[in-house]
PDB file of all heavy atoms in Angstrom:
ATOM      1  N   ALA Z   1      82.791  58.609 104.363  1.00  0.00           N
ATOM      2  CA  ALA Z   1      83.217  58.716 102.978  1.00  0.00           C
ATOM      3  C   ALA Z   1      82.083  58.918 101.963  1.00  0.00           C
ATOM      4  O   ALA Z   1      81.225  58.018 101.930  1.00  0.00           O
ATOM      5  CB  ALA Z   1      84.053  57.458 102.590  1.00  0.00           C
ATOM      6  N   ILE Z   2      82.149  59.977 101.250  1.00  0.00           N
ATOM      7  CA  ILE Z   2      81.104  60.257 100.206  1.00  0.00           C
ATOM      8  C   ILE Z   2      81.906  60.484  98.894  1.00  0.00           C
ATOM      9  O   ILE Z   2      82.709  61.356  98.807  1.00  0.00           O
ATOM     10  CB  ILE Z   2      80.308  61.502 100.545  1.00  0.00           C
ATOM     11  CG1 ILE Z   2      79.562  61.425 101.773  1.00  0.00           C
ATOM     12  CG2 ILE Z   2      79.246  61.680  99.246  1.00  0.00           C
ATOM     13  CD1 ILE Z   2      78.732  62.590 102.142  1.00  0.00           C
ATOM     14  N   VAL Z   3      81.737  59.663  97.869  1.00  0.00           N
ATOM     15  CA  VAL Z   3      82.413  59.825  96.607  1.00  0.00           C
ATOM     16  C   VAL Z   3      81.978  61.222  96.024  1.00  0.00           C
ATOM     17  O   VAL Z   3      80.806  61.540  95.981  1.00  0.00           O
ATOM     18  CB  VAL Z   3      82.163  58.607  95.648  1.00  0.00           C
ATOM     19  CG1 VAL Z   3      82.735  58.930  94.316  1.00  0.00           C
ATOM     20  CG2 VAL Z   3      82.645  57.344  96.204  1.00  0.00           C
ATOM     21  N   THR Z   4      82.983  61.969  95.531  1.00  0.00           N
ATOM     22  CA  THR Z   4      82.667  63.227  94.851  1.00  0.00           C
ATOM     23  C   THR Z   4      82.732  63.206  93.373  1.00  0.00           C
ATOM     24  O   THR Z   4      82.067  63.929  92.704  1.00  0.00           O
ATOM     25  CB  THR Z   4      83.640  64.391  95.411  1.00  0.00           C
ATOM     26  OG1 THR Z   4      84.926  64.069  94.984  1.00  0.00           O
ATOM     27  CG2 THR Z   4      83.593  64.416  96.867  1.00  0.00           C
ATOM     28  N   ARG Z   5      83.711  62.263  92.850  1.00  0.00           N
ATOM     29  CA  ARG Z   5      84.046  62.250  91.404  1.00  0.00           C
ATOM     30  C   ARG Z   5      84.541  63.555  91.012  1.00  0.00           C
ATOM     31  O   ARG Z   5      84.319  63.917  89.810  1.00  0.00           O
ATOM     32  CB  ARG Z   5      82.876  61.874  90.539  1.00  0.00           C
ATOM     33  CG  ARG Z   5      82.196  60.407  90.906  1.00  0.00           C
ATOM     34  CD  ARG Z   5      83.147  59.408  90.425  1.00  0.00           C
ATOM     35  NE  ARG Z   5      82.588  58.074  90.745  1.00  0.00           N
ATOM     36  CZ  ARG Z   5      83.222  56.922  90.531  1.00  0.00           C
ATOM     37  NH1 ARG Z   5      84.444  56.949  90.161  1.00  0.00           N
ATOM     38  NH2 ARG Z   5      82.595  55.794  90.828  1.00  0.00           N
ATOM     39  N   LEU Z   6      85.303  64.227  91.852  1.00  0.00           N
ATOM     40  CA  LEU Z   6      85.905  65.547  91.588  1.00  0.00           C
ATOM     41  C   LEU Z   6      87.398  65.535  91.342  1.00  0.00           C
ATOM     42  O   LEU Z   6      87.990  66.446  90.985  1.00  0.00           O
ATOM     43  CB  LEU Z   6      85.568  66.575  92.677  1.00  0.00           C
ATOM     44  CG  LEU Z   6      84.056  66.952  92.848  1.00  0.00           C
ATOM     45  CD1 LEU Z   6      83.960  67.858  93.949  1.00  0.00           C
ATOM     46  CD2 LEU Z   6      83.528  67.523  91.533  1.00  0.00           C
ATOM     47  N   ALA Z   7      88.021  64.307  91.572  1.00  0.00           N
ATOM     48  CA  ALA Z   7      89.462  64.085  91.266  1.00  0.00           C
ATOM     49  C   ALA Z   7      89.606  63.970  89.753  1.00  0.00           C
ATOM     50  O   ALA Z   7      88.613  63.757  89.035  1.00  0.00           O
ATOM     51  CB  ALA Z   7      89.995  62.904  92.004  1.00  0.00           C
ATOM     52  N   THR Z   8      90.768  64.061  89.270  1.00  0.00           N
ATOM     53  CA  THR Z   8      91.059  63.834  87.853  1.00  0.00           C
ATOM     54  C   THR Z   8      91.036  62.328  87.593  1.00  0.00           C
ATOM     55  O   THR Z   8      90.961  61.461  88.541  1.00  0.00           O
ATOM     56  CB  THR Z   8      92.537  64.333  87.470  1.00  0.00           C
ATOM     57  OG1 THR Z   8      93.462  63.464  88.154  1.00  0.00           O
ATOM     58  CG2 THR Z   8      92.693  65.750  87.945  1.00  0.00           C
ATOM     59  N   GLU Z   9      91.071  61.968  86.321  1.00  0.00           N
ATOM     60  CA  GLU Z   9      90.972  60.517  85.918  1.00  0.00           C
ATOM     61  C   GLU Z   9      92.221  59.751  86.385  1.00  0.00           C
ATOM     62  O   GLU Z   9      92.198  58.575  86.546  1.00  0.00           O
ATOM     63  CB  GLU Z   9      90.890  60.458  84.346  1.00  0.00           C
ATOM     64  CG  GLU Z   9      89.526  60.730  83.946  1.00  0.00           C
ATOM     65  CD  GLU Z   9      88.469  59.688  84.204  1.00  0.00           C
ATOM     66  OE1 GLU Z   9      88.821  58.564  84.375  1.00  0.00           O
ATOM     67  OE2 GLU Z   9      87.251  60.146  84.386  1.00  0.00           O
ATOM     68  N   THR Z  10      93.330  60.507  86.759  1.00  0.00           N
ATOM     69  CA  THR Z  10      94.535  59.914  87.270  1.00  0.00           C
ATOM     70  C   THR Z  10      94.588  59.927  88.805  1.00  0.00           C
ATOM     71  O   THR Z  10      95.619  59.667  89.324  1.00  0.00           O
ATOM     72  CB  THR Z  10      95.842  60.542  86.550  1.00  0.00           C
ATOM     73  OG1 THR Z  10      95.809  61.935  86.773  1.00  0.00           O
ATOM     74  CG2 THR Z  10      95.795  60.240  85.084  1.00  0.00           C
ATOM     75  N   GLY Z  11      93.602  60.586  89.454  1.00  0.00           N
ATOM     76  CA  GLY Z  11      93.517  60.487  90.869  1.00  0.00           C
ATOM     77  C   GLY Z  11      94.165  61.677  91.557  1.00  0.00           C
ATOM     78  O   GLY Z  11      94.415  61.636  92.793  1.00  0.00           O
ATOM     79  N   GLU Z  12      94.278  62.757  90.851  1.00  0.00           N
ATOM     80  CA  GLU Z  12      94.795  63.935  91.403  1.00  0.00           C
ATOM     81  C   GLU Z  12      93.825  64.877  92.030  1.00  0.00           C
ATOM     82  O   GLU Z  12      92.618  64.942  91.561  1.00  0.00           O
ATOM     83  CB  GLU Z  12      95.691  64.768  90.359  1.00  0.00           C
ATOM     84  CG  GLU Z  12      96.821  64.023  89.729  1.00  0.00           C
ATOM     85  CD  GLU Z  12      98.036  63.891  90.578  1.00  0.00           C
ATOM     86  OE1 GLU Z  12      97.967  64.559  91.753  1.00  0.00           O
ATOM     87  OE2 GLU Z  12      99.019  63.267  90.242  1.00  0.00           O
ATOM     88  N   VAL Z  13      94.218  65.632  93.059  1.00  0.00           N
ATOM     89  CA  VAL Z  13      93.343  66.629  93.714  1.00  0.00           C
ATOM     90  C   VAL Z  13      93.097  67.662  92.684  1.00  0.00           C
ATOM     91  O   VAL Z  13      93.986  68.209  91.978  1.00  0.00           O
ATOM     92  CB  VAL Z  13      93.970  67.076  94.943  1.00  0.00           C
ATOM     93  CG1 VAL Z  13      93.174  68.309  95.532  1.00  0.00           C
ATOM     94  CG2 VAL Z  13      94.065  66.017  95.993  1.00  0.00           C
ATOM     95  N   THR Z  14      91.901  68.230  92.660  1.00  0.00           N
ATOM     96  CA  THR Z  14      91.452  69.405  91.882  1.00  0.00           C
ATOM     97  C   THR Z  14      91.113  70.524  92.779  1.00  0.00           C
ATOM     98  O   THR Z  14      90.674  70.411  93.924  1.00  0.00           O
ATOM     99  CB  THR Z  14      90.462  68.986  90.806  1.00  0.00           C
ATOM    100  OG1 THR Z  14      89.198  68.752  91.583  1.00  0.00           O
ATOM    101  CG2 THR Z  14      90.787  67.811  90.026  1.00  0.00           C
ATOM    102  N   ASP Z  15      90.890  71.743  92.149  1.00  0.00           N
ATOM    103  CA  ASP Z  15      90.456  72.854  92.813  1.00  0.00           C
ATOM    104  C   ASP Z  15      89.030  72.666  93.340  1.00  0.00           C
ATOM    105  O   ASP Z  15      88.676  73.076  94.445  1.00  0.00           O
ATOM    106  CB  ASP Z  15      90.561  74.142  92.077  1.00  0.00           C
ATOM    107  CG  ASP Z  15      92.000  74.682  91.856  1.00  0.00           C
ATOM    108  OD1 ASP Z  15      92.911  74.321  92.654  1.00  0.00           O
ATOM    109  OD2 ASP Z  15      92.276  75.440  90.855  1.00  0.00           O
ATOM    110  N   GLU Z  16      88.239  72.059  92.436  1.00  0.00           N
ATOM    111  CA  GLU Z  16      86.852  71.846  92.731  1.00  0.00           C
ATOM    112  C   GLU Z  16      86.640  70.876  93.898  1.00  0.00           C
ATOM    113  O   GLU Z  16      85.823  70.928  94.769  1.00  0.00           O
ATOM    114  CB  GLU Z  16      86.110  71.235  91.566  1.00  0.00           C
ATOM    115  CG  GLU Z  16      84.545  71.372  91.689  1.00  0.00           C
ATOM    116  CD  GLU Z  16      83.772  71.117  90.416  1.00  0.00           C
ATOM    117  OE1 GLU Z  16      84.486  70.626  89.446  1.00  0.00           O
ATOM    118  OE2 GLU Z  16      82.643  71.228  90.308  1.00  0.00           O
ATOM    119  N   LEU Z  17      87.541  69.857  93.995  1.00  0.00           N
ATOM    120  CA  LEU Z  17      87.571  68.872  95.107  1.00  0.00           C
ATOM    121  C   LEU Z  17      87.958  69.677  96.435  1.00  0.00           C
ATOM    122  O   LEU Z  17      87.431  69.433  97.458  1.00  0.00           O
ATOM    123  CB  LEU Z  17      88.589  67.804  94.839  1.00  0.00           C
ATOM    124  CG  LEU Z  17      88.517  66.703  95.866  1.00  0.00           C
ATOM    125  CD1 LEU Z  17      88.697  65.249  95.186  1.00  0.00           C
ATOM    126  CD2 LEU Z  17      89.662  66.839  96.891  1.00  0.00           C
ATOM    127  N   LEU Z  18      88.977  70.508  96.335  1.00  0.00           N
ATOM    128  CA  LEU Z  18      89.382  71.285  97.447  1.00  0.00           C
ATOM    129  C   LEU Z  18      88.167  72.204  98.090  1.00  0.00           C
ATOM    130  O   LEU Z  18      87.930  72.270  99.208  1.00  0.00           O
ATOM    131  CB  LEU Z  18      90.599  72.207  97.213  1.00  0.00           C
ATOM    132  CG  LEU Z  18      91.904  71.448  96.891  1.00  0.00           C
ATOM    133  CD1 LEU Z  18      92.966  72.477  96.434  1.00  0.00           C
ATOM    134  CD2 LEU Z  18      92.412  70.701  98.146  1.00  0.00           C
ATOM    135  N   ASP Z  19      87.542  72.817  97.057  1.00  0.00           N
ATOM    136  CA  ASP Z  19      86.356  73.681  97.471  1.00  0.00           C
ATOM    137  C   ASP Z  19      85.300  72.820  98.078  1.00  0.00           C
ATOM    138  O   ASP Z  19      84.660  73.265  99.181  1.00  0.00           O
ATOM    139  CB  ASP Z  19      85.743  74.299  96.279  1.00  0.00           C
ATOM    140  CG  ASP Z  19      86.615  75.343  95.629  1.00  0.00           C
ATOM    141  OD1 ASP Z  19      87.679  75.787  96.238  1.00  0.00           O
ATOM    142  OD2 ASP Z  19      86.458  75.767  94.407  1.00  0.00           O
ATOM    143  N   ARG Z  20      85.037  71.515  97.674  1.00  0.00           N
ATOM    144  CA  ARG Z  20      84.032  70.768  98.298  1.00  0.00           C
ATOM    145  C   ARG Z  20      84.377  70.389  99.751  1.00  0.00           C
ATOM    146  O   ARG Z  20      83.568  70.577 100.628  1.00  0.00           O
ATOM    147  CB  ARG Z  20      83.800  69.475  97.484  1.00  0.00           C
ATOM    148  CG  ARG Z  20      82.827  68.488  98.085  1.00  0.00           C
ATOM    149  CD  ARG Z  20      81.369  68.951  97.959  1.00  0.00           C
ATOM    150  NE  ARG Z  20      80.990  69.077  96.662  1.00  0.00           N
ATOM    151  CZ  ARG Z  20      80.403  68.185  95.887  1.00  0.00           C
ATOM    152  NH1 ARG Z  20      80.397  66.863  96.340  1.00  0.00           N
ATOM    153  NH2 ARG Z  20      80.113  68.375  94.567  1.00  0.00           N
ATOM    154  N   TYR Z  21      85.647  69.953  99.914  1.00  0.00           N
ATOM    155  CA  TYR Z  21      86.026  69.622 101.298  1.00  0.00           C
ATOM    156  C   TYR Z  21      86.093  70.777 102.250  1.00  0.00           C
ATOM    157  O   TYR Z  21      85.869  70.737 103.461  1.00  0.00           O
ATOM    158  CB  TYR Z  21      87.317  68.815 101.320  1.00  0.00           C
ATOM    159  CG  TYR Z  21      87.038  67.425 100.884  1.00  0.00           C
ATOM    160  CD1 TYR Z  21      87.202  66.873  99.605  1.00  0.00           C
ATOM    161  CD2 TYR Z  21      86.467  66.466 101.808  1.00  0.00           C
ATOM    162  CE1 TYR Z  21      86.914  65.560  99.256  1.00  0.00           C
ATOM    163  CE2 TYR Z  21      86.214  65.143 101.502  1.00  0.00           C
ATOM    164  CZ  TYR Z  21      86.383  64.681 100.260  1.00  0.00           C
ATOM    165  OH  TYR Z  21      86.208  63.456  99.954  1.00  0.00           O
ATOM    166  N   GLU Z  22      86.453  71.997 101.709  1.00  0.00           N
ATOM    167  CA  GLU Z  22      86.459  73.211 102.503  1.00  0.00           C
ATOM    168  C   GLU Z  22      84.940  73.501 102.920  1.00  0.00           C
ATOM    169  O   GLU Z  22      84.744  73.870 104.138  1.00  0.00           O
ATOM    170  CB  GLU Z  22      86.919  74.436 101.736  1.00  0.00           C
ATOM    171  CG  GLU Z  22      86.941  75.692 102.563  1.00  0.00           C
ATOM    172  CD  GLU Z  22      87.475  76.883 101.905  1.00  0.00           C
ATOM    173  OE1 GLU Z  22      88.274  76.739 100.895  1.00  0.00           O
ATOM    174  OE2 GLU Z  22      87.106  78.114 102.291  1.00  0.00           O
ATOM    175  N   LEU Z  23      84.032  73.300 102.027  1.00  0.00           N
ATOM    176  CA  LEU Z  23      82.712  73.463 102.338  1.00  0.00           C
ATOM    177  C   LEU Z  23      82.203  72.635 103.502  1.00  0.00           C
ATOM    178  O   LEU Z  23      81.584  73.070 104.450  1.00  0.00           O
ATOM    179  CB  LEU Z  23      81.762  73.211 101.121  1.00  0.00           C
ATOM    180  CG  LEU Z  23      80.298  73.466 101.204  1.00  0.00           C
ATOM    181  CD1 LEU Z  23      80.081  74.985 101.482  1.00  0.00           C
ATOM    182  CD2 LEU Z  23      79.560  72.985  99.996  1.00  0.00           C
ATOM    183  N   TYR Z  24      82.649  71.331 103.462  1.00  0.00           N
ATOM    184  CA  TYR Z  24      82.301  70.399 104.562  1.00  0.00           C
ATOM    185  C   TYR Z  24      82.873  70.827 105.868  1.00  0.00           C
ATOM    186  O   TYR Z  24      82.320  70.822 106.954  1.00  0.00           O
ATOM    187  CB  TYR Z  24      82.806  69.009 104.229  1.00  0.00           C
ATOM    188  CG  TYR Z  24      82.089  68.336 103.140  1.00  0.00           C
ATOM    189  CD1 TYR Z  24      82.775  67.463 102.276  1.00  0.00           C
ATOM    190  CD2 TYR Z  24      80.700  68.435 102.926  1.00  0.00           C
ATOM    191  CE1 TYR Z  24      82.161  66.779 101.306  1.00  0.00           C
ATOM    192  CE2 TYR Z  24      80.092  67.745 101.865  1.00  0.00           C
ATOM    193  CZ  TYR Z  24      80.764  66.923 100.957  1.00  0.00           C
ATOM    194  OH  TYR Z  24      80.194  66.277 100.019  1.00  0.00           O
ATOM    195  N   ALA Z  25      84.205  71.296 105.802  1.00  0.00           N
ATOM    196  CA  ALA Z  25      84.875  71.687 107.035  1.00  0.00           C
ATOM    197  C   ALA Z  25      84.267  72.974 107.626  1.00  0.00           C
ATOM    198  O   ALA Z  25      84.062  72.969 108.816  1.00  0.00           O
ATOM    199  CB  ALA Z  25      86.340  72.052 106.631  1.00  0.00           C
ATOM    200  N   ARG Z  26      83.800  73.906 106.776  1.00  0.00           N
ATOM    201  CA  ARG Z  26      83.214  75.078 107.240  1.00  0.00           C
ATOM    202  C   ARG Z  26      81.879  74.823 107.922  1.00  0.00           C
ATOM    203  O   ARG Z  26      81.348  75.570 108.690  1.00  0.00           O
ATOM    204  CB  ARG Z  26      82.939  76.146 106.113  1.00  0.00           C
ATOM    205  CG  ARG Z  26      84.362  76.784 105.731  1.00  0.00           C
ATOM    206  CD  ARG Z  26      84.161  77.936 104.744  1.00  0.00           C
ATOM    207  NE  ARG Z  26      85.315  78.515 104.305  1.00  0.00           N
ATOM    208  CZ  ARG Z  26      85.995  79.575 104.894  1.00  0.00           C
ATOM    209  NH1 ARG Z  26      85.451  79.952 106.063  1.00  0.00           N
ATOM    210  NH2 ARG Z  26      87.113  79.972 104.451  1.00  0.00           N
ATOM    211  N   GLY Z  27      81.257  73.764 107.457  1.00  0.00           N
ATOM    212  CA  GLY Z  27      79.819  73.422 108.001  1.00  0.00           C
ATOM    213  C   GLY Z  27      79.783  72.921 109.415  1.00  0.00           C
ATOM    214  O   GLY Z  27      78.692  72.802 109.956  1.00  0.00           O
ATOM    215  N   GLY Z  28      80.956  72.598 110.040  1.00  0.00           N
ATOM    216  CA  GLY Z  28      80.870  72.364 111.468  1.00  0.00           C
ATOM    217  C   GLY Z  28      81.032  70.830 111.848  1.00  0.00           C
ATOM    218  O   GLY Z  28      80.923  70.519 113.010  1.00  0.00           O
ATOM    219  N   VAL Z  29      81.275  69.934 110.837  1.00  0.00           N
ATOM    220  CA  VAL Z  29      81.366  68.521 111.283  1.00  0.00           C
ATOM    221  C   VAL Z  29      82.578  68.358 112.067  1.00  0.00           C
ATOM    222  O   VAL Z  29      83.632  69.037 111.934  1.00  0.00           O
ATOM    223  CB  VAL Z  29      81.413  67.761 109.944  1.00  0.00           C
ATOM    224  CG1 VAL Z  29      82.728  67.936 109.185  1.00  0.00           C
ATOM    225  CG2 VAL Z  29      81.186  66.280 110.205  1.00  0.00           C
ATOM    226  N   GLY Z  30      82.499  67.276 112.977  1.00  0.00           N
ATOM    227  CA  GLY Z  30      83.609  67.034 113.827  1.00  0.00           C
ATOM    228  C   GLY Z  30      84.818  66.381 113.125  1.00  0.00           C
ATOM    229  O   GLY Z  30      86.026  66.702 113.405  1.00  0.00           O
TER     230      GLY Z  30
END
């Protein structure tokens, strides 16, 4: 778990948060 601070103030998923996790997924982590 790495805090991104990319969610909204009310805890919703944002496009920028989705992009960050897609980047991690594409990077090859298990």
Side-chain angles (χ1 to χ4, degrees):
I2 304 177
V3 176
T4 66
R5 299 290 181 185
L6 295 177
T8 68
E9 286 290 329
T10 55
E12 298 284 355
V13 171
T14 64
D15 288 342
E16 195 170 9
L17 184 142
L18 294 176
D19 291 343
R20 177 70 62 86
Y21 281 98
E22 177 179 339
L23 185 63
Y24 291 146
R26 288 186 181 276
V29 70

